[in-house]
Amino acid sequence: MRARLLNVSQESSLMQLKEMFPRLVEMHSHWLIEPWHAENAVLADNPDVAFLLFRSIQFDHRQTTFVATVKRQPATDNNFDAGQTLRIYRVPDERKSYAVEELARSCLANELDRLLDPEESTTAAMLDTINKFEEKKFVETYEIPPKSTASTSATFKLVLPRYRLTFELQQDGNLHSYDHQGYHLEAQQQFSDTLRGFSRYLVLVASNPDAAGTYLHEVTDQPEAIRELRITR
């Protein structure tokens, strides 16, 4: 399989990618798999789609953490344009060592979580809830494909990588916590006068009205050292 290492600073076609997902560009090396090359004939079923692999910036680390499908433009030219149809997928831990062909098929079959544009309406609504807690550039939102053929609707997930927190947007319109089962993000995130001395925090409330307690995640200078409090009624 032939892959071309891209120099992001010299790739004008990656400017849109850099603007939407700066951390995705800064924290990875980027390898372009072009199916129109004879060495990549296994991908020839989709000759107008290139695959951009996101890997560690350490050269000897070959695991793939994200894959993007990129439309070739124009169709007669062997170049790619990230400004065209660009869809980015997160590779789960158990697939990070898979061959490119397998990852490509998973993307085309819509089997992986898709990273959403921060400007999409669903994403913007989720970001509004936590905009006083975390900067937008550090937040990842995903569309989760249906888990079975019987289900046709996708779900949405919000991830705060720096705080190792994950939430799922459920049918009740709330962002439910993966890390604290039975709790969801409070729509009103900033208390006016009850938490003196706190300026930036994330409030989780019990989804069951009969359950007691509220979780509070406080921002610290070191995100990995986040302080967690539990406030009981």
Side-chain angles (χ1 to χ4, degrees):
M1 186 69 65
R2 176 176 174 177
R4 177 161 62 95
L5 177 62
L6 301 181
N7 185 331
V8 175
S9 63
Q10 297 178 2
E11 290 285 345
S12 58
S13 54
L14 284 179
M15 288 306 298
Q16 182 188 15
L17 179 63
K18 191 171 184 178
E19 291 171 3
M20 290 192 302
F21 308 109
R23 297 185 77 238
L24 213 59
V25 172
E26 296 166 2
M27 299 176 65
H28 296 83
S29 62
H30 308 86
W31 301 80
L32 186 66
I33 307 291
E34 300 160 309
W36 44 86
H37 287 301
E39 296 94 328
N40 302 338
V42 68
L43 302 177
D45 289 344
N46 296 276
D48 292 332
V49 180
F51 297 90
L52 188 61
L53 310 182
F54 295 76
R55 291 175 170 169
S56 169
I57 50 182
Q58 296 186 41
F59 196 82
D60 57 341
H61 287 196
R62 303 299 299 276
Q63 288 192 330
T64 303
T65 53
F66 290 87
V67 181
T69 57
V70 191
K71 285 286 188 178
R72 176 168 55 154
Q73 190 204 34
T76 56
D77 186 12
N78 290 342
N79 289 310
F80 81 102
D81 183 356
Q84 293 301 300
T85 306
L86 174 70
R87 297 172 71 89
I88 304 174
Y89 299 88
R90 180 172 62 173
V91 180
D93 291 341
E94 66 273 14
R95 298 193 188 191
K96 288 181 178 179
S97 297
Y98 277 22
V100 173
E101 301 92 323
E102 294 177 272
L103 292 177
R105 293 190 186 99
S106 295
C107 292
L108 295 173
N110 195 33
E111 296 175 353
L112 305 179
D113 298 353
R114 182 173 70 90
L115 184 63
L116 298 176
D117 182 336
E119 301 305 321
E120 289 190 31
S121 57
T122 302
T123 303
M126 289 191 286
L127 291 176
D128 282 346
T129 305
I130 50 90
N131 62 2
K132 293 181 180 179
F133 179 78
E134 179 62 295
E135 296 180 60
K136 181 165 62 175
K137 67 179 181 179
F138 295 123
V139 181
E140 298 171 3
T141 53
Y142 295 92
E143 181 184 58
I144 314 302
K147 296 179 181 179
S148 68
T149 55
S151 175
T152 58
S153 59
T155 56
F156 299 92
K157 184 186 297 183
L158 182 145
V159 181
L160 306 177
R162 298 203 303 167
Y163 302 100
R164 301 183 182 90
L165 296 173
T166 301
F167 302 89
E168 181 180 299
L169 181 63
Q170 295 188 1
Q171 292 183 347
D172 62 3
N174 290 316
L175 285 162
H176 290 258
S177 174
Y178 271 52
D179 310 283
H180 299 294
Q181 291 297 315
Y183 286 80
H184 65 266
L185 284 180
E186 171 63 84
Q188 177 61 45
Q189 279 293 309
Q190 295 290 310
F191 295 132
S192 59
D193 58 3
T194 57
L195 293 172
R196 294 181 182 179
F198 294 89
S199 58
R200 295 175 61 197
Y201 46 82
L202 199 62
V203 181
L204 284 71
V205 296
S207 300
N208 183 344
D210 295 327
T214 296
Y215 277 104
L216 175 73
H217 289 283
E218 182 198 0
V219 172
T220 65
D221 292 335
Q222 297 179 319
E224 65 275 9
I226 186 170
R227 187 164 60 158
E228 180 180 297
L229 307 174
R230 184 169 184 177
I231 305 170
T232 56
R233 295 174 182 173

